[in-house]
Amino acid sequence: MEKVVKTAATVLLGAALVMTACSKESGNSDNSAVVPLESESPIQTPQSTAAIDEQVKMSSDSLFWKPPEGWVGDLMPFNDANGDLYLYYLQDWRDGAPGFHPWHLVTTANLTDYHYEGEVIPVGLEHEPDLAIGTGSVIQVGDTYHGFYTGHNWKYPDQGKPKEAMMHAVSDDLKTWTKLPAHTFVAPEGYEIHDFRDPYLFYHEQAEEYRMLVSARKEGVGGVLAVFASKDLEQWEVREPLEIEAATSFFMLECADIFYSGDKWYLVFSEFSDKKATHYRVSDNIDGPWMLPEDGEDLFDGRAFYAAKTGTLGDNRYLFGWVPTRSMEKDFMNWDWAGNLVAHQLVTHADGTLGVKVPDQIDQYVSQEVELQMQQQLGQVSAEGKQWQLDGTGDVSGIVFDSLPQISKITGTFRFEAGTQFTGFVAGVGEEPEKAYGIQVEPDKQRIRYDAVHGAALTSVDPDVSVSIPFQAGVEYPFTIVIEDDVAVFYVDDYALTTRIYKMPGGAWGWYSRGGTTTLSDLQLFTP
């Protein structure tokens, strides 16, 4: 196939060049070259080891980790030569400071025990391009680790400067980083100067050069993944953007990641919009073109799992994203930015499509079966052993069990009959179980959804969180629900739906069927 990354006219980055100021009145600048930004600050180093040690505390979150203080933003997994996994992420303090989102680090060997290392790349000063820090990636060259990240200064546009820039730091231990401000550069000619972020680095073996993918907006085109190439990680040449099928409608393609599995290359990116979802594309060649998967379904999860990138543990690859909190910690309020870490294990199918499942380590960790304690039944319910038939043909039918443990796993199989309107898991069940809400399968719409409204009202609202799944009546669907505190992930048919339900902790839970009959089999509850 013809390579997308073409040999275009190149512009070299010279470390001695000075940033060309853009005109505030015109909103445009003479950015015909990839121009480095001038920095007035000395090289910055992270906080002291003692300060980091002070922050290293055990978090109460085992499965869906968050730091002792603050929240997890975009994750940047890195595997070293030994296969050890380092999860860099944007720390969201929510303290109102002008500088925000420093890089922090957490490590894990099993997805159930996390060690918090604290801050590793601090934000800059108010006059520097990294007053705030954005997503990036880490690459190893020899004995040196290179971290490329987004510098974001929200004050710069008023000063006639580009708001976002590519920045570079180096380390010899993955924990202590030194910034290299002379290597900073902004968007080249033809790209919008204020949307230029999320560098992803990899080594292109055939071309014998490093490639950098950058989330950008190309003038006259829209959201793209811009491509830059370098022999030394200092001077960068501009190439043509990646060719990505069905991506021209996206405002931005954020947090890109590329990996190889089976005999295919995979590109993962997140859609920056009110839909907020992580997509993927497939190619036979690392240069593309990047096509929709064979079945046309390019999502892993819904809008409450965002900015996912991949990393490995052993022979398995995982998607690492975050589930947001909500304003005022209320189920009916707006989603925030940042929250808890969520990991899905990737599944590669024979036809080259991808799916996700509960990580093996989490599945094994939450494996102590607990006897189900029935609390009540609603409507027409018949039971035999571990099988329940919920006949909601006339209205609604359901079963309710005692409160969920803090960490729990629910497994089973459901089968719905034709005509069933909704069937699914409900949490935080109170005195009016028919008004409980949770994660529902909506057969007619071929999707699974979460909404903070009960079943009778679902038809009148658009889904808060949803994932398209080609459900069929009469088919047995094994499922797994993993829960910790107010976070729940529902796995079914190699898809996931992640969400946060504030009314769930300490409340009763159950399953219901509305407008049709659902058979629920082999229902089991597990704790660690």
Side-chain angles (χ1 to χ4, degrees), residues 404 408 410 423-429 436-441 449-450 479 481-483 488-490 499 501 504 508-512:
L404 282 166
S408 52
I410 302 166
T423 183
F425 164 77
V426 289
V429 180
Y437 55 82
I439 302 172
Q440 294 92 16
V441 173
R449 61 186 288 177
Y450 165 75
F479 69 90
I481 308 172
V482 178
I483 294 164
V489 183
F490 192 120
T499 193
I501 309 174
M504 181 167 58
W509 66 281
W511 195 282
Y512 83 106

Side-chain angles (χ1 to χ4, degrees), residues 219-498:
E219 295 171 2
V221 177
V224 298
L225 286 175
V227 179
F228 299 86
S230 175
K231 296 290 186 181
D232 59 8
L233 298 178
E234 296 181 17
Q235 299 182 9
W236 293 92
E237 303 174 351
V238 186
R239 303 290 177 85
E240 287 297 309
L242 293 187
E243 182 181 338
I244 304 171
E245 183 182 14
T248 56
S249 63
F250 299 143
F251 181 83
M252 291 283 287
L253 287 68
E254 295 190 318
C255 303
D257 184 23
I258 290 177
F259 64 92
Y260 188 77
S261 180
D263 60 353
K264 300 288 185 182
W265 287 96
Y266 294 91
L267 169 68
V268 175
F269 62 90
S270 290
E271 172 188 357
F272 178 65
S273 71
D274 57 349
K275 296 179 181 178
K276 287 190 180 297
T278 297
H279 301 255
Y280 79 95
R281 297 290 187 269
V282 189
S283 180
D284 293 322
N285 192 305
I286 194 171
D287 294 311
W290 298 94
M291 311 304 290
L292 282 166
E294 188 171 303
D295 61 4
E297 300 293 340
D298 69 332
L299 298 180
F300 305 99
D301 201 329
R303 64 160 297 175
F305 175 77
Y306 192 65
K309 286 174 166 278
T310 72
T312 62
L313 281 174
D315 295 329
N316 295 320
R317 184 171 291 274
Y318 303 85
L319 271 176
F320 294 93
W322 48 266
V323 54
T325 55
R326 285 189 186 270
S327 178
M328 300 174 64
E329 298 188 352
K330 300 293 185 182
D331 287 330
F332 55 85
M333 298 297 284
N334 291 331
W335 293 106
D336 296 318
W337 190 90
N340 292 63
L341 179 157
V342 175
H344 299 321
Q345 185 169 328
L346 278 169
V347 177
T348 304
H349 302 132
D351 63 359
T353 59
L354 296 177
V356 292
K357 56 175 266 187
V358 57
D360 292 339
Q361 299 92 330
I362 292 177
D363 197 33
Q364 295 162 10
Y365 176 70
V366 190
S367 58
Q368 183 68 42
E369 187 173 3
V370 177
E371 184 179 356
L372 293 170
Q373 299 293 330
M374 176 74 73
Q375 190 181 92
Q376 60 177 306
Q377 298 181 3
L378 182 68
Q380 298 185 46
V381 177
S382 58
E384 183 177 347
K386 291 184 178 180
Q387 183 177 92
W388 286 268
Q389 189 173 76
L390 313 178
D391 185 356
T393 305
D395 185 17
V396 62
S397 173
I399 49 178
V400 180
F401 300 97
D402 283 347
S403 60
L404 282 166
Q406 177 197 7
I407 297 176
S408 52
K409 179 181 71 177
I410 302 166
T411 64
T413 300
F414 67 85
R415 183 184 73 248
F416 58 84
E417 294 182 4
T420 301
Q421 190 178 23
F422 297 101
T423 183
F425 164 77
V426 289
V429 180
E431 296 181 357
E432 298 179 281
E434 68 278 4
K435 293 185 178 180
Y437 55 82
I439 302 172
Q440 294 92 16
V441 173
E442 189 176 11
D444 286 349
K445 300 292 186 180
Q446 297 282 283
R447 66 190 179 193
I448 187 171
R449 61 186 288 177
Y450 165 75
D451 302 88
V453 297
H454 59 81
L458 285 175
T459 56
S460 63
V461 298
D462 291 330
D464 186 10
V465 182
S466 67
V467 179
S468 295
I469 301 177
F471 289 114
Q472 298 180 43
V475 175
E476 299 275 353
Y477 287 99
F479 69 90
T480 299
I481 308 172
V482 178
I483 294 164
E484 182 173 31
D485 297 320
D486 52 22
V487 176
V489 183
F490 192 120
Y491 294 95
V492 60
D493 202 32
D494 286 350
Y495 293 89
L497 187 143
T498 300

Side-chain angles (χ1 to χ4, degrees), residues 18 60 84 117 124 168 186 221 274 316 346 359 389 427 516:
V18 179
S60 61
D84 295 333
E117 302 285 354
H168 187 189
V186 297
V221 177
D274 57 349
N316 295 320
L346 278 169
Q389 189 173 76

Side-chain angles (χ1 to χ4, degrees), residues 17-39:
L17 291 178
V18 179
M19 180 188 72
T20 303
C22 62
S23 167
K24 181 177 179 181
E25 289 76 19
S26 67
N28 194 13
S29 67
D30 180 14
N31 57 354
S32 58
V34 180
V35 184
L37 280 168
E38 190 175 47
S39 175

